Amino acid sequence: MRIIVLLFAALVVAGSAGFYLLSGMGNGAPAPEAPVAVVMPKATEVFVPVAELSAGAILKPEHLGLLAIEDTRLMPEMVVASPEGEALLVGSVAIQVLAKGAPIPRAGVVQPGDRGFLAAVLPQGKRAISIPISETAGVSGLVLPGDRVDIILIYSLTGDTIDAERDVRASETVMRNIRVLALDQRLHQSDTGPDGKPLADAPPLARTATLQVTPREAEIITLATSLGDLSMVLNSVHDGGDAEDAKAAAESAEPRHMTLDSDVTSLLQREAVGETDAPLADRILRIQIVRGATAGAIELGEELVAATPAAEAADDAPLE
């Protein structure tokens, strides 16, 4: 019996010890977990406008900002921020509104030389027309795109055309305050490339100038090119820009002053006096005729005075 009691006591002690050990293991701190690495998605920077650009705006370096886009969201239409992407955008023209902070789409701009580039530059209602120019007619290359000029027509007229005894040369301003869009195919004001860096050599003097005009002005300039030579006169920046267009158009509709060759040189002025006599109707003499107590007057051309009997009678008439 004693043996049974001892065995039972041993079992109780063993069970208590096992229970204690199991309880201790359950209440212990959990084993530390291994750190999990967070993989960030790759991103690429693309060009965006720093401010909203309207259609027709020419993009400049200061217009471009950067935006990071996840590679999974990157689209082929977006322009990646790189030297190639900057060269693509700088100098191009927006053909649609470019929202601030939104990636610039390739289809939203056109580059110089692309079809539709010049049409994108033109404001609504305006036209572009080119005229030939020489070194002097282009102000020695000092006229740049964006400047405003007057257009002078220089021409000659034969004596038969104007019913004169000699040919006459003249000049007159046919257009005022016209904006220059391009010289040859150059639309930039400075001698720099699309990347903004100075060119190794200055561009050659232009042979054509493209002007921004109204439809009516385009008709006048087209006809003027067939009448004589055209020359550009550079306007001052203080004369005003687009705000002066309406005033300039009104002035161009008024009768224009013509400068003749006789206004330039005194030699032709003397020749005009000696060679060009006034018509007979303009050469009138007023003759006073007195017959006795009666006095009267007649007007005759000077060529007829000596051969007119009335004149002879006037000379012989006695005065009382």
Side-chain angles (χ1 to χ4, degrees):
M1 183 66 181
R2 182 177 296 176
I3 295 175
I4 293 174
V5 172
L6 291 175
L7 289 175
F8 178 78
L11 289 173
V12 171
V13 171
S16 300
F19 177 79
Y20 175 80
L21 289 176
L22 290 174
S23 299
M25 292 179 61
N27 295 332
E33 298 180 357
V36 178
V38 179
V39 179
M40 298 297 294
K42 294 181 179 181
T44 301
E45 290 185 329
V46 298
F47 284 116
V48 298
V50 296
E52 183 177 293
L53 298 176
S54 60
I58 299 178
L59 275 67
K60 301 178 181 179
E62 56 267 26
H63 293 156
L64 303 179
L66 301 177
L67 176 67
I69 297 289
E70 296 180 5
D71 287 353
T72 56
R73 301 175 56 191
L74 189 65
M75 302 177 63
E77 270 291 293
M78 301 177 182
V79 181
V80 176
S82 65
E84 294 77 12
E86 184 176 4
L88 176 71
L89 293 179
V90 174
S92 62
V93 175
I95 59 175
Q96 64 185 49
V97 176
L98 302 179
K100 176 182 177 180
I104 300 175
R106 294 177 181 269
V109 297
V110 290
Q111 288 75 38
D114 289 351
R115 182 179 181 181
F117 176 79
L118 190 56
V121 176
L122 283 174
Q124 183 178 0
K126 296 293 185 177
R127 305 292 186 267
I129 188 171
S130 295
I131 61 173
I133 57 174
S134 62
E135 180 177 351
T136 54
V139 197
S140 298
L142 297 179
V143 174
L144 299 174
D147 288 338
R148 290 186 172 267
V149 297
D150 294 345
I151 305 299
I152 295 180
L153 170 63
I154 305 169
Y155 56 97
S156 61
L157 298 172
T158 63
D160 295 338
T161 302
I162 59 175
D163 195 19
E165 296 184 7
R166 67 175 182 86
D167 296 344
V168 176
R169 293 184 63 83
S171 68
E172 59 181 300
T173 301
V174 295
M175 286 289 118
R176 298 183 184 276
N177 200 38
I178 299 298
R179 179 188 177 196
V180 179
L181 290 176
L183 296 173
D184 288 341
Q185 294 185 348
R186 181 164 55 98
L187 292 98
H188 301 284
Q189 288 195 357
S190 59
D191 298 335
T192 58
D195 56 357
K197 297 181 179 179
L199 298 174
D201 300 319
L205 293 174
R207 293 180 295 178
T208 60
T210 302
L211 310 175
Q212 176 182 295
V213 295
T214 64
R216 173 61 176 164
E217 291 169 340
E219 294 176 357
I220 295 175
I221 292 179
T222 300
L223 180 58
T225 56
S226 67
L227 297 178
D229 299 326
L230 299 181
S231 181
M232 296 193 301
V233 180
L234 182 63
N235 287 9
S236 168
V237 294
H238 303 291
D239 289 345
D242 294 330
E244 297 293 324
D245 280 350
K247 179 180 178 181
E251 291 178 352
S252 63
E254 298 175 356
R256 296 186 293 267
H257 175 72
M258 178 187 300
T259 302
L260 301 177
D261 51 9
S262 58
D263 298 328
V264 177
T265 169
S266 57
L267 176 62
L268 292 177
Q269 291 174 357
R270 288 196 295 269
E271 290 181 355
V273 172
E275 297 176 2
T276 307
D277 295 327
L280 180 61
D282 296 335
R283 299 195 300 272
I284 299 299
L285 297 179
R286 184 177 182 86
I287 301 175
Q288 182 78 14
I289 299 176
V290 179
R291 292 186 177 91
T294 303
I298 61 173
E299 294 181 346
L300 298 173
E302 60 182 352
E303 292 89 344
L304 303 178
V305 172
T308 303
E312 296 176 356
D315 292 338
D316 298 335
L319 297 177
E320 297 181 359

